[in-house]
Amino acid sequence: MASDVDTAPLVGRADHLTELRSALLGESGSGQTAAVFVSGESGVGKSRLLHEAGARLRAAGAVVLTGSCLDIGDASPLHPVVQALRRFEADLAGSQVRTSSAVRGLLRMFADEPAAPDGGALLERVSRGLSLLAEGRPLVLVLDDLQWVDRSTRQLLLYLLAGLGDLQLSVLAAIRAEALQGAHPLRRVLTELRRLRSVRVLDLAPLDRADTDRLAAAIVGAPLNPEAADQIWQRSGGNPFVVEELARDLRDGRDGLSDTLREIFLSRVDALPQHAHTVVHAVAVGVEPVAHWLLADVLHLPEQELIDAVRAAVAHRLLVSADDGYRLRHRLVAEVLEHELLPAERSALHRRYAEALTRAPADLHQARLAHHWRLAGEPGRALPAAMAAAREAQRLHGFAEAHRHWSAALQLAATPAAGPATTSIEVNRAELLEHAAETAHQCGEHARALSLLAELADADTEPSCALRIRRARYLAAAGRSAPAEAEYQRVLQAADCTDGERATAAAHLAELLLHLGRYAEAGQRARAALNLAATVEGSTSEVVLASSALGFSEAFLEDPDAGLAVMRQALQTAERAGRPEDVACAYLHLAELLTGPLNILEEGVVVARRGAERVAQLGLGRTYETRLLAIATNGLFRVGQWAEAEKVVAAALRHRPSGADAVELLLARCRLSVGYGDVEASDRDLEAVATMLAGGGAPRHVLPMLILRAGLAMWQGRHDVARQAVQRGLTESRSDDVLLLATLAWHGLRAEAEARASRTVPVDETAVRRLRDAVDRVTTKSVTAARPVRYVAEGFLALCTAELSRLDGRGCPEAWARSAVEWDRRNHPYPAAYSRLRQAEALLARRSRSATAAKLLRQAYQTAQGLGAAPLTSEIRNLAGRARVKLEERTQPTVARSGGRGQPAGDELGALTAREREVLAAVAEGLTNKEIGQRLFISERTIGVHVSHIFDKLQVRTRVQASAIYLRNRGE
């Protein structure tokens, strides 16, 4: 039903509309995400601004989806997104078959999404569906009343605005400023989002005096006399909604109204016809939007009388009519009317809403139903609705909403009936507590989970073993390692615990000890868990978990071969059992072991990619495949195969991962971007990681983020920023990872050395002392580590020693020579090239052996160009220019990329084998890897390996570039 009210002109917001269009379409036009959050007091015109901006964006060719958040705490997950899709579908023309199909597919997905262990799968499918719907056009999601946003929608916004995929998305949302008080969850989200350069917060202020007079005059239809204008200004304070109300009163001759909003609203409601008065009160009690059929069922008015009553309320500017139902024009109306009904009247209205929703056919109204039965004083009837709403939220992976519903169910189960006419059902309070605790744990509310679990334990004289294991899991997740360890120990010592429970406790305890760096104890507990699991049927998960702890323990404690054997046995066990998560876990830990402590990079990359392919077949592409590909990317980066690493990370990002998986992948991509010198991409990824780690993060994520921030800042000449990042890492981290600490110490010493060389920032002697202490810790810890761990740590220690020589003087050429040799032995070309640059710099500073320095610069230059490491290449050029050393430039122009990659000169195909030449010839014909494999009678995977080697040898990054080189040289 369309509203037939007169529309007030939009006054004083022209600049805002221009700013919104520029921010949402101008900045996102390059394919990046953008967002504007419009904040302001009630009635300031946020919703109107969103409506006008949406219309202009739609006229500019954007796809605009408009939704509103519900104003009750137990709203359905992703409600505004579902509402926006329904509105969009209703407006589609009959010829837009493809778009309509995409919308219907998304709506079906919300109804049919099956439960899955990956709580982020729904967000990925929503993002993919939105991308299909946009069809390459800019997509703008307009959300009103964001202060009532549900947890799932908040997660979706963070996910989309992190820019993980290729969806060109803009978000425009309105927030009632006075609602963000105390611990409102949206406050922290907005604080983190403000760090993203593509996100703006627009504080919408009231109108000034001139615009207030213009708006009032436009509504009245004539300029106001000074007294009336001054009265409206004083009463409204420039609030457009109040200005409009007062101006209409003045225009319609309603004199003597109070200057308070309450009296304005009450006088407006009192002026309504009887049925319209009833309609406004009913909508004020309901959960907006109130559908027409629901309002009719609640009020029992004849259809025509109801339509006339609604029309009168709309005409009096109290209701707004839309396709999905009716809303109060401003929620302040509900606040005013709340005290006008007697408690019995409100209870009766809530009861009628609940009864009408109960009679509704198949629609999902459980959240609203629980809300209305509760306020009707019927906790017995509200309880099953709350439980159904909780299960529905869990099915859609809305764990925060599910926890809210289970908590409400707990309260309802303990609430006595308000009257005699009540229905009660028998519920198991312990079951409610279990559900509430588990969903609290799943949504990150660890303290709440522990509190609920304590209440559950109070119901039993002696907590069960299963309860103790659950409590230990929650304690460990909350960072309370000591009591978690004690709980696991009690389970292991209890005589009444089953072997299966002891196996579970031992496996989890081994993992906890591993995270704490107590590798010997972790190995002992893991062996005990494996022994127990061997006697228990169906304990594959415990075997895999314990094996991962045992493998790492053995790898760090001088026996890498034993660690590898345990991990490979775990993989075989998982494959035999066939449980997807176990297979994926085994591949993941094996790849981490090879590319991490053991530094067997080539094999680790192969295992990671093979595991990624395997888990994709098992349906775990978005989680475990993504993380395995991140491991492969890091391994390829270290061995200098940056072009291949870039392809791998791009393939993984197509899964649009979330959570820790996304952090791992963004850090891997950022590592490449920093190496290439792509400042904008690096900053974007680091900001996204910081947003996703809001509220804390594991050292394995925080330290790499800070290391990358320091590395990027140094290439930018911002040595103070690099220093801050390193010092924050030394202060905040308690990680026992020797290699992470060694990398951090190198970056810190390098930042101080760069500061000394640039003479722009003074050396911080306190920071240097802390860094020397860190180097000493690395040296001490590496003594007890496995030989491969010591091997890598010694390479970083060589870098640290050389950097210290820069701080002590001009630099020691011998120290840098040792560093270059160390990294050559480890097949890490980037630090080897950097060491040669510094060795040449130290030789030139001593004005000796210039020929050797020139040779070192040329070697470093060749490596840096081959990698595409633009910042390193630039620094080598600068030093060579100052020393008048002629570098051997490549004859072909560099490839246009942020890193700029050179191409080999002379016989460009000379480095290729005969088989690689055959493959390259087929690539130049435009054949796919599968087609080449069929022609040459070899597997598609082998063709991929050949193509990767061709790219590395030719120093190119695309098939087009490789084909161009082949076509240039085929006559030679």
Side-chain angles (χ1 to χ4, degrees), residues 386-585:
M387 294 171 65
R391 293 189 181 98
E392 177 64 13
Q394 281 182 284
R395 188 177 68 84
L396 291 173
H397 316 300
F399 296 118
E401 288 76 23
H403 172 59
R404 189 180 302 119
H405 294 317
W406 286 121
S407 297
L410 279 169
Q411 294 176 353
L412 290 167
T415 302
T422 153
T423 301
S424 62
I425 64 171
E426 293 295 328
V427 294
N428 186 334
R429 180 169 177 79
E431 181 182 349
L432 294 180
L433 285 168
E434 287 181 2
H435 284 299
E438 188 63 21
T439 51
H441 173 66
Q442 289 170 323
C443 70
E445 298 290 343
H446 303 304
R448 172 66 173 161
L450 287 166
S451 174
L452 290 166
L453 206 62
E455 188 176 348
L456 179 62
D458 290 342
D460 299 327
T461 55
E462 181 67 26
S464 66
C465 294
L467 189 66
R468 289 190 182 281
I469 292 173
R470 178 179 288 192
R471 183 169 187 268
R473 286 172 46 227
Y474 295 174
L475 286 167
R480 298 169 62 184
S481 303
E485 182 180 356
E487 286 289 356
Y488 285 133
Q489 296 282 11
R490 292 189 186 98
V491 173
L492 293 170
Q493 296 168 6
D496 57 338
C497 293
T498 66
D499 286 344
E501 289 169 333
R502 279 194 286 269
T504 301
H508 281 283
L509 177 56
E511 185 185 34
L512 176 62
L513 294 170
L514 185 69
H515 289 314
L516 295 175
R518 293 156 61 182
Y519 301 120
E521 294 177 71
Q524 294 170 5
R525 291 300 179 185
R527 290 187 182 91
L530 289 170
N531 291 334
L532 286 167
T535 66
V536 179
E537 190 72 23
S539 58
T540 303
S541 296
E542 286 76 10
V543 169
V544 173
L545 190 64
S547 296
S548 67
L550 181 59
F552 269 90
S553 173
E554 292 288 342
F556 271 92
L557 296 174
E558 300 294 343
D559 199 348
D561 293 335
L564 270 177
V566 171
M567 294 300 298
R568 287 182 170 131
Q569 180 63 41
L571 179 56
Q572 293 174 8
T573 302
E575 287 283 13
R576 283 196 302 268
R579 186 169 179 265
E581 290 82 6
D582 292 337
V583 175
C585 184

Side-chain angles (χ1 to χ4, degrees), residues 7 24 206 222 257 311 322 340 445 491 622 634 643 671 719 770 784 797 906-907 935 952:
T7 301
L24 296 174
L257 295 175
R311 189 178 296 277
E340 297 305 306
E445 298 290 343
V491 173
R622 187 169 183 267
N634 290 330
R671 194 167 286 109
H719 309 306
R770 292 189 67 193
T784 59
L797 289 173
D907 182 7
R935 172 185 289 187
D952 291 332

Side-chain angles (χ1 to χ4, degrees), residues 713-776:
M714 278 186 279
W715 286 131
Q716 294 175 294
R718 302 166 63 193
H719 309 306
D720 54 337
V721 174
R723 173 189 295 154
Q724 292 169 7
V726 171
Q727 294 300 315
R728 176 188 163 189
L730 293 174
T731 301
E732 297 184 4
S733 172
R734 298 296 181 265
S735 173
D736 288 329
D737 191 315
V738 175
L739 302 183
L740 273 179
L741 183 59
T743 309
L744 188 70
W746 170 44
H747 278 70
L749 290 171
R750 180 183 161 198
E752 297 301 332
E754 297 286 353
R756 183 184 186 280
S758 67
R759 303 181 185 276
T760 58
V761 179
V763 175
D764 188 333
E765 296 299 337
T766 302
V768 173
R769 282 195 297 273
R770 292 189 67 193
L771 290 166
R772 289 180 184 271
D773 291 341
V775 171
D776 292 339

Side-chain angles (χ1 to χ4, degrees), residues 31-35 65 78 81 122-131 139-141 143 152-171 193 196 198-199 622 656-658 662 684 688 691-692:
Q32 300 178 12
T33 59
L65 303 179
L78 297 174
V81 180
L122 181 62
L123 301 183
E124 183 271 339
R125 295 187 64 184
V126 171
S127 177
R128 188 191 314 150
L130 292 175
S131 183
L139 178 65
V140 182
L141 183 59
L143 300 177
S152 296
T153 305
R154 290 201 307 269
Q155 289 179 335
L156 178 63
L157 290 178
L158 285 171
Y159 173 75
L160 294 175
L161 292 177
L164 300 183
D166 54 1
L167 177 61
Q168 184 180 341
L169 175 80
S170 298
V171 175
L193 286 175
L196 300 177
S198 59
V199 174
R622 187 169 183 267
R656 295 183 175 87
S658 62
R684 185 167 60 247
T691 300
M692 300 177 77

